[in-house]
């Protein structure tokens, strides 16, 4: 990988991992438009680590409270933070099950530019519909176990490239009645076990290969994806209540249309 490829791909991962605009839809663009090769497993690990560190550090206080409260709930002490911790666990389970059952199918049949373009548009429209119709009267602590399961089931759809994990979980949160910021915060908290699991799976695959590792590229990947992801989370949470989801819906429609043009050219 050239330095330009490292910078572009790491920034794409960091920014799009947490925005509802499909990271896979963007990561496929350099290969479609510029003919770049796949970045490889090692670099995938690096940019996942950067994104994971960003969300953990940003939500470090929330995570600390949730962990302490969760351990307390094992002794019968239930608080808002312990319930939130349980909802993150509950919402993660469907994605884990779907990942084990469907990973090979998705890898073999769903990683085409046509699939990415189609899902980018379809789930972008669904996000717009949810944002327009949402009652938005619940905060993050008013989530119920039924809503957590619903968000988790919707998150399982993110296995399909182009869906956007953050996009589909925010859509589900809005459909469950959460306000925009709460839907975004729950999506970001839910990303921690998801990204961690994905990173571990990629690391296991990497351990089974004999490919040489470009440690300099990995370092740049971690740093750039961390910085861009952290800034993205901070800016998104400060803006989302004011601007809504419409700009991201429009962007997804444009991105999907561009991908479709190149598919059929």
């Amino acid at each position: 990988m050239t330095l330009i490829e490292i910078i572009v791909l790491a920034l794409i991962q960091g920014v799009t991992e947490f925005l509802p605009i499909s990271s896979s839809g963007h990561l496929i663009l350099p290969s479609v438009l510029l003919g770049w090769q796949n970045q490889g497993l090692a670099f995938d690990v690096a940019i996942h680590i950067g994104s994971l560190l960003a969300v953990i550090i940003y939500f470090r206080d929330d995570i600390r409270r949730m962990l302490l409260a969760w351990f307390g709930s094992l002794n019968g002490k239930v608080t808002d933070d312990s319930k939130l911790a349980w909802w993150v666990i509950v919402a993660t389970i469907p994605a884990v099950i779907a990942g084990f059952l469907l990973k090979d199918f998705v890898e073999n049949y769903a990683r085409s530019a046509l699939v990415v373009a189609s899902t980018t548009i379809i789930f972008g429209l669904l996000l717009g519909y949810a944002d327009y119709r949402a009652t938005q009267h619940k905060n993050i602590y008013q989530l119920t176990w039924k809503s957590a399961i619903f968000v988790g089931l919707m998150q399982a759809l993110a296995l399909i490239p182009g869906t956007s994990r953050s996009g589909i979980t925010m859509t589900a949160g809005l459909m469950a009645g959460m306000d925009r910021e709460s839907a975004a915060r729950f999506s970001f908290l839910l990303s921690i076990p998801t990204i961690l699991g994905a990173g571990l799976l990629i690391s296991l695959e990497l351990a089974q290969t004999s490919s040489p590792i470009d440690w300099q590229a990995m370092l740049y990947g971690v740093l750039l994806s961390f910085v861009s992801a952290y800034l993205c989370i901070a800016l998104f949470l400060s803006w989302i209540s004011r601007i809504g989801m419409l700009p991201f819906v429009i962007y997804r429609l444009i991105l999907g249309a561009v991908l479709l043009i190149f598919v059929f050219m």
Side-chain angles (χ1 to χ4, degrees), residues 170-241:
M170 289 181 202
T171 298
L174 291 169
M175 293 172 71
M178 299 173 73
D179 62 71
R180 290 173 181 143
E181 184 177 346
S182 293
R185 292 181 75 86
F186 188 65
S187 173
F188 295 153
L189 290 171
L190 196 53
S191 73
I192 295 172
T194 305
I195 297 175
L196 180 60
L200 289 174
L201 285 175
I202 298 172
S203 298
L204 289 174
E205 292 182 33
L206 180 63
Q208 296 170 3
T209 69
S210 56
S211 302
I213 296 176
D214 185 343
W215 293 105
Q216 185 179 40
M218 290 191 68
L219 177 61
Y220 287 150
V222 170
L223 292 175
L224 289 171
S225 62
F226 167 77
V227 172
S228 55
Y230 189 94
L231 291 174
C232 177
I233 294 170
L235 293 174
F236 186 84
L237 287 175
S238 66
W239 292 344
I240 190 58
S241 295

Side-chain angles (χ1 to χ4, degrees), residues 12-254:
I12 287 176
Q13 166 67 21
V15 170
T16 60
E17 178 67 39
F18 298 107
L19 292 181
I21 55 177
S22 173
S23 58
S24 56
H26 286 78
L27 287 171
I28 200 174
L29 278 175
S31 62
V32 171
L33 301 179
L34 304 172
W36 290 2
Q37 298 299 311
N38 184 283
Q39 64 264 32
L41 290 174
F43 194 72
D44 266 356
V45 171
I47 57 181
H48 274 82
I49 290 173
S51 299
L52 181 63
L53 288 174
V55 70
I56 288 175
I57 291 175
Y58 187 88
F59 289 103
R60 59 190 179 277
D61 292 334
D62 301 71
I63 294 169
R64 178 183 56 79
R65 290 197 312 270
M66 288 166 62
L67 282 174
L68 291 174
W70 183 80
F71 282 112
S73 72
L74 298 179
N75 294 320
K77 185 180 180 181
V78 178
T79 65
D80 285 341
D81 284 314
S82 70
K83 287 191 288 186
L84 182 56
W86 277 111
W87 299 157
V88 169
I89 294 171
V90 167
T92 300
I93 293 172
V96 172
I97 295 173
F100 277 112
L101 295 178
L102 301 175
K103 180 177 181 295
D104 291 338
F105 176 83
V106 171
E107 289 286 344
N108 293 328
Y109 300 106
R111 289 201 172 275
S112 68
L114 179 59
V115 170
V116 171
S118 302
T119 52
T120 297
I121 292 172
I122 292 169
F123 289 105
L125 290 172
L126 184 61
L127 173 64
Y129 175 79
D131 191 48
Y132 176 73
R133 299 285 296 180
T135 56
Q136 299 186 26
H137 65 280
K138 295 180 182 178
N139 64 40
I140 195 169
Y141 291 112
Q142 293 173 305
L143 197 66
T144 65
W145 69 269
K146 290 182 180 179
S147 296
I149 291 175
F150 174 66
V151 175
L153 290 172
M154 293 289 277
Q155 182 179 224
L157 293 175
L159 280 172
I160 307 171
T163 301
S164 171
R165 191 213 59 80
S166 57
I168 198 63
T169 50
M170 289 181 202
T171 298
L174 291 169
M175 293 172 71
M178 299 173 73
D179 62 71
R180 290 173 181 143
E181 184 177 346
S182 293
R185 292 181 75 86
F186 188 65
S187 173
F188 295 153
L189 290 171
L190 196 53
S191 73
I192 295 172
T194 305
I195 297 175
L196 180 60
L200 289 174
L201 285 175
I202 298 172
S203 298
L204 289 174
E205 292 182 33
L206 180 63
Q208 296 170 3
T209 69
S210 56
S211 302
I213 296 176
D214 185 343
W215 293 105
Q216 185 179 40
M218 290 191 68
L219 177 61
Y220 287 150
V222 170
L223 292 175
L224 289 171
S225 62
F226 167 77
V227 172
S228 55
Y230 189 94
L231 291 174
C232 177
I233 294 170
L235 293 174
F236 186 84
L237 287 175
S238 66
W239 292 344
I240 190 58
S241 295
R242 298 193 301 272
I243 67 174
M245 297 293 182
L246 184 59
F248 303 102
V249 174
I250 294 172
Y251 182 83
R252 285 184 68 131
L253 296 180
I254 294 172

